Amino acid sequence: MNSLIPLFLLLIGFAALILGANWLVNGATSIGVKAKLSPLIIGLTIVAFGTSLPEMIVNVFACIKGSPGLAIGNIIGSNTMNILLILGVSSMIYPIDVSRISIRRDIPAGFIATFAITLMANDFFRGTSATINWIEGLVLLLMGFGYLYLTFKKNDESTDTDNTENSDNQELPWGKTVLELVLGIVGLYIGGELVSQNAQVLALSWGMSESTVGLTVVATATSLPELITSIVAALKKNSGIAIGNVLGSNILNIFIVLGVSSLITPLPFDTKMNQQLMILFCANAIMLATIFSGSGRKISRFEGSLLTLGYVAFMLFSLYN
């Protein structure tokens, strides 16, 4: 009974995060269309950053309120869900074509980002307690800004498989664009406040660690915007947005979200989660294998179903541990 009110407030917070992210993505995408960016670039940057904002807001609030244990678990869980479930479900709806520039730049960047936090979280560089400190956070942010620079610099190359004519990215009037941006920020703030506070309460009442709650409950909820965005993109046969959203969100989650979070407070790492980090590495490798396993650079419906089953196995493993 004591858990019902925090659970109800947590659900309201998730709803506010999803609505806020949707409004913010609409406004930001409109700006991207006005700037004549390709669908892949919009997916990798504007949409990916917008759908990563729930992770950002939850992590920032959790760090400020003294629950940094949620932060790393939230990102590992979200990134694994992005690859296995979101990309899997999207490709089951409509096979996803992967551009050459994504194979050369974005997929390797995902591997590098995952490898970087593995070394930092296990204190490979300092050999002390398992945390990601503010210096390592600055390194992550610099890597993130470098990736964004390369992404925008190669905007013209990103159209090799994008069907820009079928893109449903809408250019809104400036008044509506600004309104959606403001509503998005407000929704994300309210949602972040509710989720961070009540997730901590539920973790204590259920006897779960903060990192486990972040890895499962919070990661699943904060990844809902990515899931919705990629499914809608797949239904509209827009491969650029679907794959760009997943790859970009994963990269920004590590470089930007964890980078900012570690500037607020050192992020403790439960070394038991090295198993989940290895699963995330494997998920990236499986994604790459599915792209080259058939004809062309494509993730088929069958391969999407395998990715989805992989996520079910990941969740069962995480909850069992």
Side-chain angles (χ1 to χ4, degrees):
M1 184 66 181
N2 293 333
S3 299
L4 289 179
I5 294 178
L7 182 60
F8 177 70
L9 293 175
L10 186 74
L11 294 175
I12 292 177
F14 287 148
L17 284 173
I18 294 169
L19 288 173
N22 183 61
W23 285 325
L24 194 65
V25 167
N26 287 342
T29 301
S30 174
I31 294 176
V33 174
K34 293 176 186 293
K36 302 187 184 307
L37 299 178
S38 73
L40 177 61
I41 295 297
I42 293 174
L44 282 167
T45 56
I46 297 172
V47 175
F49 184 72
T51 54
S52 291
L53 277 174
E55 286 91 343
M56 169 75 84
I57 300 300
V58 168
N59 275 18
V60 167
F61 274 88
C63 292
I64 292 174
K65 293 177 179 293
S67 301
L70 285 171
I72 298 179
N74 180 22
I75 297 307
I76 295 175
S78 293
N79 282 16
T80 306
M81 179 176 174
N82 283 349
I83 294 175
L84 295 179
L85 181 65
I86 297 176
L87 199 58
V89 170
S90 300
S91 55
M92 286 170 65
I93 295 171
Y94 186 77
I96 293 178
D97 290 313
V98 183
S99 66
R100 293 187 183 89
I101 190 67
S102 287
I103 295 172
R104 294 199 306 265
R105 178 194 63 205
D106 306 319
I107 293 177
F111 275 103
I112 292 170
T114 306
F115 187 62
I117 63 164
T118 301
L119 294 180
M120 292 177 181
N122 287 280
D123 288 307
F124 177 84
F125 301 106
R126 293 178 292 125
T128 57
S129 60
T131 58
I132 297 179
N133 63 19
W134 68 271
I135 297 176
E136 292 162 330
L138 283 177
V139 173
L140 289 175
L141 286 173
L142 288 174
M143 294 171 73
F145 292 142
Y147 167 75
L148 290 173
Y149 171 77
L150 291 176
T151 300
F152 282 106
K153 185 179 179 181
K154 299 292 184 179
N155 180 43
D156 292 339
E157 295 183 25
S158 302
T159 59
D160 62 346
T161 63
D162 288 346
N163 189 345
T164 54
E165 292 181 1
N166 290 337
S167 174
D168 283 323
N169 300 326
Q170 294 183 357
E171 181 177 354
L172 304 174
W174 274 111
K176 190 172 182 179
T177 297
V178 173
L179 177 62
E180 299 234 0
L181 289 173
V182 172
L183 288 174
I185 293 171
V186 172
L188 287 169
Y189 176 83
I190 295 174
E193 178 77 28
L194 291 173
V195 169
S196 62
Q197 183 174 353
N198 291 284
Q200 183 183 19
V201 173
L202 290 174
L204 294 174
S205 64
W206 292 345
M208 298 171 68
S209 68
E210 289 180 349
S211 59
T212 303
V213 173
L215 186 69
T216 55
V217 179
V218 176
T220 300
T222 55
S223 292
L224 288 177
E226 285 98 330
L227 178 61
I228 295 169
T229 301
S230 290
I231 287 177
V232 170
L235 288 171
K236 295 176 179 178
K237 302 180 180 180
N238 193 330
S239 295
I241 292 292
I243 187 72
N245 175 39
V246 168
L247 297 177
S249 179
N250 277 13
I251 295 165
L252 296 179
N253 276 347
I254 294 176
F255 287 149
I256 306 299
V257 176
L258 277 185
V260 170
S261 301
S262 60
L263 293 181
I264 299 172
T265 185
L267 304 179
F269 178 72
D270 183 352
T271 54
K272 293 179 181 178
M273 283 203 298
N274 276 320
Q275 296 171 326
Q276 278 77 16
L277 272 174
M278 292 303 102
I279 292 174
L280 180 56
F281 266 115
C282 291
N284 277 280
I286 292 170
M287 173 184 64
L288 188 60
T290 59
I291 294 172
F292 291 107
S293 62
S295 58
R297 304 181 306 274
K298 183 177 292 187
I299 302 176
S300 68
R301 288 187 172 92
F302 174 73
E303 292 162 341
S305 65
L306 294 180
L307 291 174
T308 304
L309 289 174
Y311 181 72
V312 174
F314 164 76
M315 286 295 290
L316 292 175
F317 174 78
S318 299
L319 290 172
Y320 177 78
N321 275 353

